[in-house]
């Protein structure tokens, strides 16, 4: 039997953190790393070397949850030999499963929902101490089994440290966060910002939670009610990021364009202005926020203030938007602001009004197209090199979907002309209205066929849009070494040039769905959701495209991956010695070749 780890070591064991799902989860993981580091914990990218294993989970699709169940099963075996190991499940899966998760998997010691992550440091300390006590108990039990024939045959059972913090239904019981004693804002406010902890880009949360209750979606149940952060907190965070060298900020929210802060209703606790629960969004006849006024910061106001007060942020993005609530006030601010990216992620989910009603999406196909037409009238200006690009999400095989509904969705793709669209087969999620009320009656082979047809159609549309950029010169924000060159470096055992910049010294490499972050393109299996766009954590590499291998002939170059203002992927080669310096910068790239998923060129 392995000797138990010393109590001193167990007080601050090394942590491995793996993240599944959306951008909001990625940001949550970054904040968790900062809070645990401040408590003296260190991190490792190797799960087998860690004394604490944490999974930040996603419940939007079944596949993401199955990966976590598989990981937990493997850890249950490991824990029999390493009883001091602390295992935690964070995020949406913890909130959705509740205490039943520990009963099913007693290997889990900690469960923390997304609205309770500020409690993780104290829960982890408690779990470490509890596991040390369990290790001592098991050592005594092992001695007893050796000396007692009656005990020798007893099966060893896993015992959980049972440290749990879940929101439950409390987020919707009160009208103010003061009454709910919310402390999650402190996690955002305590964010550690350093020039060495980023590669030029960062996420900033402006809202959390959702009030939409689409029938297929778990987010309102797992992340709670829609909550908006004070604007000064957001602007200050952007300033601190800019001071640390960040050039690109993406504002995050489940329904990001619902953001509104009513200063007349602001509540201060302990000197800290508290976030506010969102009121039902209303719009005026000219598609603006009906509550706009002198003592209100609307989403349009927030965009304008960040743009004007933090000029060092060269690119400002936001995801994800809800189409029916997108005002002309926001479009006007984007049009007048050269550093706000002309890219919108606006999920439609279906091209059938019947399916949209069943999904409780709250708009019709006609209303969706009205928004797209309005947005393009405001923002699509390719003649001044400011085209508008749009991305979407589609659910295939929702309960009751007919062939006619499927063809209507294909028609929507043709008219919407997304630069890319995340198309996924419907999977029923426990706890949602669809799971309770709507039988999952579309055979899997039908879902697969419809999914393939829509993907093929979208690939054609994406190729046509990409082709419009051939021969042009674009400004591209360099994210890192392409996945192709990173794979090549791993095969040869050499470090990819630029890897040290993409994963800064001293920074923990977050793992998304089992892939290390920091290498551009390593995240292409992370799922998109209806509520938080995953396009920024997708970076496909076209491995079957012969032209994508031309850099292999030039050992002195490295392929870098970048993105345009409109979120199109750009690949280009750079001299290996210069690659590191380019990451996190905006460069000019002349496009000489295009594919359905990427632009290829060379720096000017």
């Amino acid at each position: 039997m392995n000797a138990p780890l010393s109590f001193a070591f167990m007080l601050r064991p090394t942590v491995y953190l793996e993240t599944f799902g959306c951008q909001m989860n990625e940001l949550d993981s970054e904040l968790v790393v900062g809070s645990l580091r401040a408590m003296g914990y260190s991190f490792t990218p190797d799960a087998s070397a860690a004394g604490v294993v944490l999974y930040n989970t996603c419940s939007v699709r079944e596949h993401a949850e199955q990966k976590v169940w598989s990981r937990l099963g493997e850890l249950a075996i490991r824990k029999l030999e390493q009883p001091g190991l602390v295992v935690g499940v964070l995020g949406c899966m913890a909130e959705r499963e509740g205490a039943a998760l520990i009963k099913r998997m007693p290997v889990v010691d900690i469960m923390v929902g997304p609205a309770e992550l500020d409690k993780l440091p104290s829960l982890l300390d408690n779990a470490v101490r509890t596991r040390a006590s369990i290790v001592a108990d098991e050592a005594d039990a092992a001695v007893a089994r050796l000396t007692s024939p009656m005990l020798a045959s007893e099966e060893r059972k896993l015992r959980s440290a049972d440290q749990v913090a879940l929101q439950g239904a409390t987020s919707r019981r009160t009208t103010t966060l003061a009454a709910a004693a919310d402390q999650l804002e402190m996690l955002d406010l305590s964010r550690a910002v350093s020039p060495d902890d980023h590669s030029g880009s960062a996420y900033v949360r402006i809202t959390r939670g959702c009030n939409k209750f689409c029938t297929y979606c778990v987010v309102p149940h797992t992340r709670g009610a829609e909550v908006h952060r004070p604007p000064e907190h957001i602007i200050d965070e952007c300033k601190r990021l800019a001071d640390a060298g960040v050039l690109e900020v993406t504002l995050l929210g489940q329904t990001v364009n619902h953001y509104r802060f009513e200063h007349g209703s602001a509540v201060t606790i302990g000197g800290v202005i508290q976030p506010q629960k969102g009121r039902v969004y209303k719009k005026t006849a000219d598609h603006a926020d009906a509550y706009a006024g002198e003592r209100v910061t609307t989403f349009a106001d927030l965009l304008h203030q960040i743009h004007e007060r933090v000029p060092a942020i060269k690119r400002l993005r936001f995801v994800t938007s809800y189409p029916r609530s997108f005002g002309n006030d926001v479009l006007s601010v984007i049009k007048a602001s050269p550093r706000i990216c002309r890219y919108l992620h606006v999920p439609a989910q279906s091209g059938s009004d019947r399916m949209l009603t069943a999904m409780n999406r709250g708009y019709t196909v006609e209303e969706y197209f009205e928004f797209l037409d309005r947005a393009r009238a405001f923002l699509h200006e390719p003649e001044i090199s400011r085209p508008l690009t749009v991305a979407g999400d589609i659910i295939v095989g929702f309960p009751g979907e007919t062939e006619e509904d499927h063809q209507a969705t294909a028609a929507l793709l043709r008219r919407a002309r997304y630069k890319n669209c995340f198309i996924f087969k419907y999977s029923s999620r426990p706890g949602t209205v669809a799971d309770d009320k709507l039988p999952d009656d579309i055979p899997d082979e039908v879902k697969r066929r419809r999914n393939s047809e829509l993907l093929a159609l979208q690939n054609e549309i994406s190729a046509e849009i990409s082709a419009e950029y051939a021969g042009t010169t674009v400004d591209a924000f360099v994210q890192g070494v392409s996945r192709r060159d990173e794979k090549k470096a791993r095969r040869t055992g050499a470090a990819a040039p630029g890897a040290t910049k993409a994963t800064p010294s001293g920074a923990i490499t977050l793992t998304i769905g089992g892939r290390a972050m920091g290498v551009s393109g390593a995240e292409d299996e992370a799922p998109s959701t209806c509520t938080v766009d995953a396009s920024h954590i997708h970076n496909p590499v076209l491995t079957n495209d012969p032209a994508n291998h031309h850099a292999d002939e030039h050992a002195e170059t490295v392929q870098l991956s970048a993105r345009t203002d409109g979120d199109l992927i750009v690949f280009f080669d750079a001299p290996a010695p210069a690659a590191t310096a380019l990451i996190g910068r905006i460069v000019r790239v002349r496009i000489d070749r295009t594919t359905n998923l990427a632009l290829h060129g060379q720096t000017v």
Side-chain angles (χ1 to χ4, degrees):
M1 176 176 159
N2 292 343
L5 297 173
S6 72
F7 185 71
F9 171 76
M10 288 302 294
L11 284 177
R12 290 292 185 268
T14 302
V15 180
Y16 169 81
L17 173 61
E18 183 173 350
T19 308
F20 300 83
C22 64
Q23 290 166 306
M24 195 71 82
N25 272 16
E26 187 181 338
L27 175 57
D28 284 343
S29 289
E30 182 181 338
L31 297 176
V32 162
V33 168
S35 66
L36 293 182
R37 272 217 177 106
M39 299 289 290
Y41 287 93
S42 59
F43 286 79
T44 175
D46 180 6
S48 65
V52 175
V53 175
L54 302 176
Y55 297 125
N56 191 6
T57 60
C58 172
S59 284
V60 170
R61 276 182 292 276
E62 183 180 11
H63 182 61
E65 287 196 350
Q66 289 302 324
K67 284 186 176 181
V68 177
W69 289 121
S70 176
R71 302 279 204 282
L72 294 177
E74 294 167 358
L75 288 179
I77 298 171
R78 174 180 164 189
K79 202 165 190 175
L80 290 173
E81 296 301 319
Q82 190 181 341
L85 179 68
V86 175
V87 177
V89 176
L90 318 178
C92 291
M93 185 174 169
E95 190 69 48
R96 190 188 69 75
E97 289 282 341
L101 190 148
I102 288 182
K103 291 181 180 178
R104 176 177 171 180
M105 281 286 186
V107 66
V108 176
D109 299 293
I110 304 169
M111 281 185 28
V112 185
E116 307 293 332
L117 288 172
D118 58 293
K119 299 179 175 65
L120 178 61
S122 60
L123 293 175
L124 180 54
D125 273 356
N126 289 341
V128 168
R129 289 174 170 82
T130 302
R131 287 241 60 88
S133 176
I134 291 173
V135 168
D137 290 347
E138 291 192 354
D140 292 341
V143 172
R145 283 194 295 270
L146 290 175
T147 58
S148 171
M150 293 183 63
L151 297 176
S153 61
E154 280 192 3
E155 181 182 356
R156 292 175 61 195
K157 295 182 179 179
L158 292 174
R159 293 165 55 192
S160 171
D162 206 14
Q163 301 294 309
V164 178
L166 302 174
Q167 179 177 235
T170 58
S171 75
R172 300 186 185 276
R173 292 178 186 167
T174 57
T175 55
T176 68
L177 278 178
D182 181 275
Q183 295 295 318
L184 190 59
E185 179 68 7
M186 299 306 297
L187 188 64
D188 291 275
L189 290 177
S190 63
R191 179 177 190 170
V193 178
S194 163
D196 296 324
D197 286 341
H198 64 83
S199 56
S201 183
Y203 298 133
V204 173
R205 188 195 335 265
I206 69 169
T207 78
R208 66 176 191 266
C210 183
N211 292 341
K212 285 305 177 188
F213 286 97
C214 299
T215 58
Y216 53 81
C217 187
V218 300
V219 170
H221 309 282
T222 58
R223 287 195 175 268
E226 191 176 277
V227 174
H228 309 303
R229 298 182 63 203
E232 286 302 322
H233 293 182
I234 297 166
I235 294 167
D236 179 67
E237 189 171 340
C238 290
K239 287 180 177 178
R240 289 188 292 117
L241 289 166
D243 289 344
V246 168
L247 296 183
E248 179 183 71
V249 164
T250 301
L251 306 178
L252 297 184
Q254 266 73 27
T255 45
V256 70
N257 53 314
H258 279 192
Y259 178 86
R260 183 198 307 113
F261 195 86
E262 300 177 43
H263 298 271
S265 302
V267 175
T268 300
I269 300 177
V272 177
I273 301 174
Q274 297 297 295
Q276 291 179 348
K277 291 199 172 180
R279 286 204 275 176
V280 174
Y281 187 92
K282 295 181 180 179
K283 63 182 180 181
T284 63
D286 62 343
H287 300 281
D289 191 331
Y291 295 108
E294 185 177 343
R295 298 282 292 156
V296 174
T297 298
T298 65
F299 182 54
D301 296 331
L302 180 67
L303 287 176
H304 176 72
Q305 289 187 40
I306 296 173
H307 184 272
E308 296 305 307
R309 294 172 60 182
V310 198
I313 298 297
K314 301 304 181 185
R315 284 190 175 177
L316 183 61
R317 302 180 182 274
F318 56 88
V319 290
T320 287
S321 301
Y322 181 72
R324 196 182 68 180
S325 309
F326 209 108
N328 288 349
D329 53 346
V330 179
L331 295 174
S332 296
V333 169
I334 297 172
K335 184 180 180 70
S337 306
R339 295 190 306 280
I340 299 180
C341 295
R342 296 199 182 187
Y343 163 74
L344 301 175
H345 178 250
V346 193
Q349 304 301 4
S350 177
S352 161
D353 283 340
R354 195 174 70 87
M355 288 292 96
L356 292 175
T357 299
M359 294 175 178
N360 193 36
R361 287 293 289 170
Y363 53 81
T364 64
V365 174
E366 182 180 356
E367 288 174 318
Y368 184 83
F369 283 135
E370 184 278 331
F371 161 69
L372 284 186
D373 292 344
R374 187 159 42 90
R376 284 176 169 141
F378 267 86
L379 301 177
H380 189 56
E381 298 180 294
E383 66 278 6
I384 61 169
S385 300
R386 295 302 309 276
L388 172 68
T389 58
V390 181
D393 287 5
I394 293 293
I395 295 174
V396 176
F398 190 74
E401 183 185 71
T402 65
E403 196 64 29
E404 183 179 1
D405 296 324
H406 170 61
Q407 293 304 324
T409 300
L412 180 140
L413 289 183
R414 294 187 185 95
R415 180 171 170 184
R417 291 189 63 76
Y418 299 125
K419 66 102 179 172
N420 70 289
C421 185
F422 304 103
I423 301 170
F424 293 99
K425 297 181 297 179
Y426 169 76
S427 62
S428 181
R429 307 308 301 128
T432 62
V433 172
D435 184 67
D436 293 337
K437 305 292 186 183
L438 303 175
D440 188 1
D441 57 356
I442 309 301
D444 191 60
E445 61 270 18
V446 174
K447 289 181 183 179
R448 288 199 303 269
R449 173 182 60 79
R450 292 175 181 174
N451 194 74
S452 296
E453 290 174 359
L454 294 183
L455 285 172
L457 173 59
Q458 181 58 49
N459 281 341
E460 294 176 9
I461 296 167
S462 297
E464 293 169 1
I465 291 173
S466 293
E468 296 171 4
Y469 290 81
T472 67
T473 300
V474 300
D475 291 323
F477 178 83
V478 184
Q479 295 180 296
V481 179
S482 72
R483 184 179 166 197
R484 186 207 70 187
D485 272 25
E486 178 62 20
K487 279 186 171 182
K488 182 173 65 177
R490 285 200 298 268
R491 285 197 305 269
T492 60
T500 54
K501 179 69 178 282
T503 307
S505 175
I508 176 62
T509 302
L510 299 180
T511 29
I512 307 295
R515 295 182 184 275
M517 291 297 292
V519 177
S520 191
E523 314 86 0
D524 63 317
E525 290 186 355
S528 159
T529 77
C530 70
T531 49
V532 179
D533 171 35
S535 65
H536 295 275
I537 53 174
H538 276 61
N539 201 347
V541 172
L542 312 178
T543 55
N544 293 325
D545 185 348
N548 203 34
H549 299 279
H550 66 92
D552 290 347
E553 302 168 4
H554 306 284
E556 72 278 7
T557 65
V558 59
Q559 187 187 68
L560 295 177
S561 178
R563 285 188 186 265
T564 69
D565 167 279
D567 204 52
L568 285 95
I569 300 166
V570 178
F571 291 119
F572 67 93
D573 292 337
T580 298
L582 291 177
I583 295 172
R585 293 177 52 189
I586 296 173
V587 301
R588 300 277 286 167
V589 180
R590 185 172 64 250
I591 306 303
D592 52 34
R593 185 176 60 82
T594 68
T595 65
N596 63 321
L597 289 177
L599 312 178
H600 297 257
Q602 50 191 312
T603 55
V604 176

